[in-house]
């Protein structure tokens, strides 16, 4: 089997303090959802892991992101709860070997099922190739979906040999998909690093009318939310993607391409709160968590902290 979905089997990932009171921590309230037999009329959020290294490997990066979903679960499990929350674990989509396209298609099918259950998807990658599968699952004929990507990279690279995607191509693939369907491409990036993108990629982003905010601009004032507010005010449906390599390496060492001059968490946390309050976010993913490069699980804890601030 080249790509497959399975409900979570290792439920011990969701564990925490033995002396906790009832419903104090995430591990105590997590519910499990088998998308092979999905329920209806649910409320809340569903986590879905994308266990995949193929996209990063194709992009000549350092593999390890396939282990990200489970590391994220272990970190999130131990967070305390401060208000009522309905959170489901819907298991994982796994990519065997280099069968990336099959895995992305399977991811899109499972996201369709989560939405049909009445839940909001939260996808944990995997590399940023996650985004192409994720967006396919969100795509709706009657909705123009704007994309907000917190990332050091545009991820608009040309396809390999003109046909194969990677962790560096997902938003180019989304653009091609929307253009073929005569739909607009609304793409925003926050945290872009000048020396992590070639001049070609800056020129291509300009050609596609991509709006972006440089990391150096965010450094100067991490509480300036005008870029985020503009996106919220312009669009009714938002897909939010967080690439953990947008953060400075001291915060997020556990990624394929750590950023020495990455941004702080302050900006993204404040943005996530505003995005949540808007009620316009259809789905979120957090990608590029590679535990083999992490230090004392701090990148996994950062990823979990971002989600908890949103929730």
């Amino acid at each position: 089997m080249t790509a497959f979905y399975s409900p979570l089997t290792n439920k011990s990932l969701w564990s925490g303090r033995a002396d906790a009171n009832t419903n104090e921590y995430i591990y105590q309230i997590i519910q499990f959802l088998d998308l092979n037999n999905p329920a209806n009329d649910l409320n809340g959020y569903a986590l879905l892991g994308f266990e995949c290294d193929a996209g990063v490997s194709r992009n000549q990066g350092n593999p390890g992101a396939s282990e990200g979903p489970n590391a994220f679960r272990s970190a999130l499990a131990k967070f305390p709860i401060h208000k009522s929350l309905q959170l489901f674990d819907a298991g994982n989509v796994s990519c065997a070997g280099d069968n990336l396209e099959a895995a992305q298609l399977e991811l899109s099918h499972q996201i369709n099922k989560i939405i049909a259950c009445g839940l909001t998807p939260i996808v944990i990658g995997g590399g940023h190739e996650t985004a192409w599968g994720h967006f396919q699952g969100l795509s709706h004929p009657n909705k123009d979906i704007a994309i907000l990507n917190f990332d050091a990279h545009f991820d608009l690279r040309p396809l390999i040999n003109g046909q194969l995607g990677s962790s560096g191509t997902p938003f180019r693939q989304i653009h091609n998909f929307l253009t073929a369907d005569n739909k607009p491409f609304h793409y925003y990036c926050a945290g872009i690093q000048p020396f992590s993108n070639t001049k070609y990629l800056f020129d291509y982003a300009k050609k596609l009318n991509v709006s972006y905010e440089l990391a150096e601009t965010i450094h100067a004032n991490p509480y300036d939310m005008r870029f985020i507010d503009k996106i919220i005010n312009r669009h009714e449906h938002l897909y939010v993607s967080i690439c953990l390599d947008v953060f400075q390496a001291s915060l997020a060492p556990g990624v394929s391409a750590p950023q020495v001059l990455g941004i702080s968490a302050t900006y993204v946390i404040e943005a996530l709160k505003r995005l949540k309050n808007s009620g316009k976010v259809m789905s979120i993913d957090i990608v590029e968590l590679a535990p083999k490069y992490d230090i004392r699980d701090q990148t996994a804890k950062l990823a979990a902290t971002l989600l908890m601030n949103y929730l």
Side-chain angles (χ1 to χ4, degrees):
M1 186 175 293
T2 60
F4 60 92
Y5 163 77
S6 62
L8 189 70
T9 54
N10 184 10
K11 295 181 180 180
S12 66
L13 292 165
W14 295 101
S15 62
R17 294 181 64 99
D19 61 348
N21 293 324
T22 302
N23 294 343
E24 276 193 317
Y25 293 93
I26 291 289
Y27 80 89
Q28 296 171 303
I29 61 96
I30 193 73
Q31 302 176 68
F32 298 96
L33 180 64
D34 183 350
L35 294 175
N36 292 318
N37 299 287
N40 295 316
D41 300 321
L42 300 175
N43 290 300
Y45 300 86
L47 293 169
L48 180 63
F50 187 57
E51 297 179 317
C52 183
D53 274 326
V56 173
S57 294
R58 287 186 185 181
N59 199 31
Q60 303 178 45
N62 299 305
S66 63
E67 300 171 6
N70 285 346
F72 177 87
R73 289 179 170 101
S74 293
L76 185 67
K78 300 171 181 62
F79 273 67
I81 303 165
H82 294 285
K83 59 176 153 181
S84 178
L85 177 64
Q86 293 286 321
L87 184 63
F88 296 81
D89 189 329
N92 295 308
V93 171
S94 300
C95 177
D98 188 51
N99 294 288
L100 177 56
E101 287 71 26
Q104 289 168 319
L105 185 60
E106 182 67 19
L107 177 61
S108 72
H109 292 331
Q110 302 308 326
I111 288 171
N112 284 159
K113 292 181 183 180
I114 289 172
I115 294 171
C117 289
L119 299 169
T120 299
I122 300 169
V123 183
I124 309 299
H128 222 152
E129 71 279 355
T130 305
W132 171 222
H134 191 167
F135 188 86
Q136 289 179 83
L138 296 176
S139 182
H140 190 284
N142 298 323
K143 293 179 180 178
D144 288 337
I145 303 171
I147 303 162
L148 170 56
N149 179 26
F150 295 95
D151 202 337
H153 310 90
F154 286 116
D155 287 340
L156 289 167
R157 288 181 177 274
L159 274 65
I160 300 168
N161 297 324
Q163 57 182 351
L164 293 177
S166 73
S167 63
T169 66
F171 301 105
R172 192 184 191 109
Q173 290 172 280
I174 292 171
H175 169 263
N176 293 345
F177 171 76
L178 291 171
T179 300
D181 203 29
N182 293 314
K183 299 189 76 172
F185 179 60
H186 304 298
Y187 181 38
Y188 301 85
C189 296
I192 290 293
Q193 294 281 355
F195 299 115
S196 294
N197 298 272
T198 62
K199 183 178 183 301
Y200 164 82
L201 288 171
F202 274 96
D203 291 344
Y204 192 70
K206 182 178 180 180
K207 178 181 177 181
L208 299 186
N209 294 315
V210 176
S211 182
Y212 61 89
E213 191 162 42
L214 293 174
E216 59 196 63
T217 303
I218 295 171
H219 288 316
N221 190 349
Y223 292 99
D224 185 347
M225 291 287 113
R226 286 176 293 177
F227 182 76
I228 302 300
D229 290 340
K230 176 182 69 174
I231 299 166
I232 292 171
N233 293 333
R234 283 183 178 177
H235 303 285
E236 291 302 314
H237 306 288
L238 302 174
Y239 155 43
V240 177
S241 188
I242 304 171
C243 184
L244 292 168
D245 71 20
V246 75
F247 299 102
Q248 56 191 245
S250 59
L251 285 175
V255 296
S256 174
Q259 293 294 323
V260 175
L261 298 178
I263 66 174
S264 72
T266 301
Y267 177 85
V268 178
I269 288 172
E270 182 62 29
L272 287 173
K273 291 177 179 178
R274 289 178 182 238
L275 289 160
K276 174 68 180 297
N277 289 337
S278 76
K280 295 181 177 183
V281 177
M282 298 176 63
S283 192
I284 289 178
D285 59 41
I286 302 175
V287 303
E288 299 281 359
L289 171 58
K292 65 191 293 185
Y293 311 115
D294 212 355
I295 300 172
R296 300 184 67 182
D297 302 322
Q298 67 187 56
T299 313
K301 291 174 182 176
L302 171 62
T305 300
L306 296 173
L307 181 59
M308 287 303 294
N309 273 275
Y310 179 80
L311 296 176

